[in-house]
Amino acid sequence: MLPAAPEFVYLCETSERLSATATPGGPLQGLTLGVKDLFDISGLPTAAGNPDWLATHPTPNSTAPVVQQLLAAGAQLVGKTLTDELAYSLNGVNIHYGTPLNPKAPTRLPGGSSSGSAVAVAKGVVDIGLGTDTGGSIRVPASYNGLYGLRPSHGLVSLEGCMPLAPRFDTAGWLTRDLATLAQVASVLLPPQTAQPMTELCLLLPEGLALWQPIAECLASALAGQFERVRVEILSAEMMATSSALFRTLQGYQIWQTHGSWVSEHQPHFADDIADRFAWCQTITAEQQAEAEQQAAQFCRDWRDRFLPNPDSLVILPSCPGAAPLLAMPAAALANYRNLLMGLTAPAGLLGSPQLSLPLLTDQNAPWGLSLLALPGADQALINTAQALQPLLTEVITN
């Protein structure tokens, strides 16, 4: 049975089966934790946002290593949080278990698929929201709920004991209300890295996103003294459409390879939009996948050459096209918006790059995230840069 708060599927204090407990004295002591219901916790079901998944999978008898790391560092588990069905959505809507209420913009989507983790953090119920990010499932709800959210470099944080969606792109990430807490979690989960200073900044202007252009121009002027080189580059509509299409094809092919047999055998009840995407995944051929991989390799070379040419290069771009869509947005409009959104989120997935969303912008009186993106392996440098720049970024944007 679900608790009253729809962001949770399970509150740990209501069960005697919870075996994971915090270790006192660690760097995360005193911080509370919500864990997306894709990660296994010994003795607790993993529903992955769908009752048919829950009914066809046994209760785990072990806990995912990333959860163990957080608990060993002193974090106190509050509960497991809601996810979109099999994590295959960016909206935060779940027809089976409800839609968590975005506390910063109640008439708008909370963002998914780490919806429960994001809302629990935004409401102050937990300090750390553990989630996953494949196509934007940390960055998008961070933007919509006014949170800090990190998608780490691909493969940097263990996904053992976590239900996969598309392993080529899946990452484990986290959401917090402040940058200091995000950095504390990073000190626990990220391996040691050489965090060299970022000396070259590229501010991207996504074509057609008029409300971002004056912000980017102000930032370029204000940040000129912080970097050896600052430039502004157009992110063309063609490049955004290409990255979105390539990502969706490669992700979709892997999704069907990962879950196709289960879907075919059990015929689960999905929301219409998610069911349509699974049906489309089934149509992607190996030849289409191979062609997309070749095109993606060229896309990544072009992206790095233009925007991230050096190990100390940094990109700033909006996390999303603007404020979260309204809950009442028609399905067709929401599908079109998803394609535009993926044009901003797909590059990090294709590159395997870390991307950090900062809650510094507003649109229509609702939160809107600004992102820092770097080459794979520059996670700690990205966090250090964000900590150094945040006062100036905040001053420029608020003025």
Side-chain angles (χ1 to χ4, degrees):
M1 180 180 296
L2 288 173
E7 61 267 21
F8 284 99
V9 295
Y10 184 79
L11 289 171
C12 66
E13 61 262 33
T14 66
S15 172
E16 298 176 357
R17 293 178 296 171
L18 185 64
S19 59
T21 56
T23 300
L28 302 182
Q29 183 174 358
L31 298 177
T32 50
L33 170 68
V35 174
K36 186 177 184 176
D37 193 25
L38 300 183
F39 293 93
D40 289 344
I41 295 177
S42 179
L44 301 181
T46 299
N50 182 273
D52 294 310
W53 183 273
L54 175 63
T56 55
H57 289 80
T59 297
N61 57 15
S62 61
T63 298
V66 66
V67 178
Q68 291 177 333
Q69 283 180 274
L70 294 170
L71 297 175
Q76 180 65 54
L77 182 64
V78 172
K80 298 190 78 172
T81 57
L82 184 65
T83 176
D84 297 29
E85 295 180 78
L86 272 63
Y88 198 10
S89 177
L90 292 172
N91 296 334
V93 175
N94 190 302
I95 63 167
H96 307 287
Y97 301 131
T99 299
L101 181 69
N102 183 334
K104 300 297 181 65
T107 62
R108 297 179 181 273
L109 292 173
S113 61
S114 303
S115 55
S117 292
V119 168
V121 173
K123 287 175 66 174
V125 179
V126 298
D127 301 308
I128 304 162
L130 181 65
T132 60
D133 188 310
T134 301
S137 291
I138 287 287
R139 295 162 287 164
V140 171
S143 182
Y144 290 178
N145 290 273
L147 300 173
Y148 296 83
L150 178 69
R151 172 203 169 91
S153 297
H154 189 264
L156 212 58
V157 180
S158 172
L159 281 170
E160 181 184 346
C162 179
M163 189 219 77
L165 179 63
R168 187 193 189 285
F169 301 113
D170 294 346
T171 61
W174 54 97
L175 300 135
T176 62
R177 289 185 300 278
D178 60 82
L179 191 53
T181 302
L182 185 141
Q184 282 181 272
V185 177
S187 71
V188 171
L189 295 183
L190 295 181
Q193 293 177 319
T194 301
Q196 63 181 20
M198 299 291 193
T199 63
E200 179 175 307
L201 172 63
C202 177
L203 279 147
L204 292 190
L205 293 179
E207 197 170 18
L209 193 55
L211 72 167
W212 167 251
Q213 183 167 344
I215 299 170
E217 291 172 350
C218 287
L219 289 175
S221 176
L223 295 174
Q226 308 298 314
F227 295 88
E228 294 178 7
R229 182 185 179 197
V230 175
R231 57 197 172 94
V232 177
E233 295 280 353
I234 301 293
L235 179 59
S236 69
E238 179 184 5
M239 193 169 234
M240 286 191 288
T242 297
S243 64
S244 177
L246 290 173
F247 184 92
R248 287 187 294 111
T249 296
L250 295 171
Q251 179 197 41
Y253 182 82
Q254 279 218 328
I255 287 171
W256 194 254
Q257 300 307 304
T258 302
H259 295 301
S261 296
W262 178 79
V263 171
S264 298
E265 178 182 355
H266 296 284
Q267 297 293 305
H269 178 208
F270 288 131
D272 290 345
D273 61 328
I274 295 175
D276 288 344
R277 286 199 285 276
F278 270 103
W280 174 75
C281 290
Q282 188 176 5
T283 70
I284 304 171
T285 66
E287 290 74 20
Q288 290 172 318
Q289 184 268 346
E291 181 180 1
E293 283 287 8
Q294 291 181 345
Q295 293 174 354
Q298 183 60 54
F299 174 87
C300 290
R301 286 192 290 269
D302 292 342
W303 178 280
R304 287 190 295 265
D305 288 346
R306 290 188 59 186
F307 307 134
L308 291 170
N310 300 304
D312 56 357
S313 297
L314 174 71
V315 161
I316 291 182
L317 75 163
S319 303
C320 296
L326 293 168
L327 289 164
M329 179 179 279
L334 197 55
N336 290 333
Y337 171 85
R338 177 183 172 88
N339 290 333
L340 177 61
L341 173 62
M342 292 292 292
L344 297 174
T345 63
L350 293 168
L351 292 162
S353 285
Q355 185 171 345
L356 173 61
S357 184
L358 310 176
L360 302 182
L361 307 172
T362 57
D363 173 37
Q364 304 171 71
N365 296 315
W368 179 26
L370 173 151
S371 275
L372 309 184
L373 185 151
L375 289 171
D379 306 65
Q380 191 59 58
L382 204 62
I383 294 169
N384 293 350
T385 301
Q387 290 176 310
L389 292 182
Q390 181 169 241
L392 179 57
L393 292 172
T394 302
E395 180 183 352
V396 171
I397 290 167
T398 54
N399 292 334

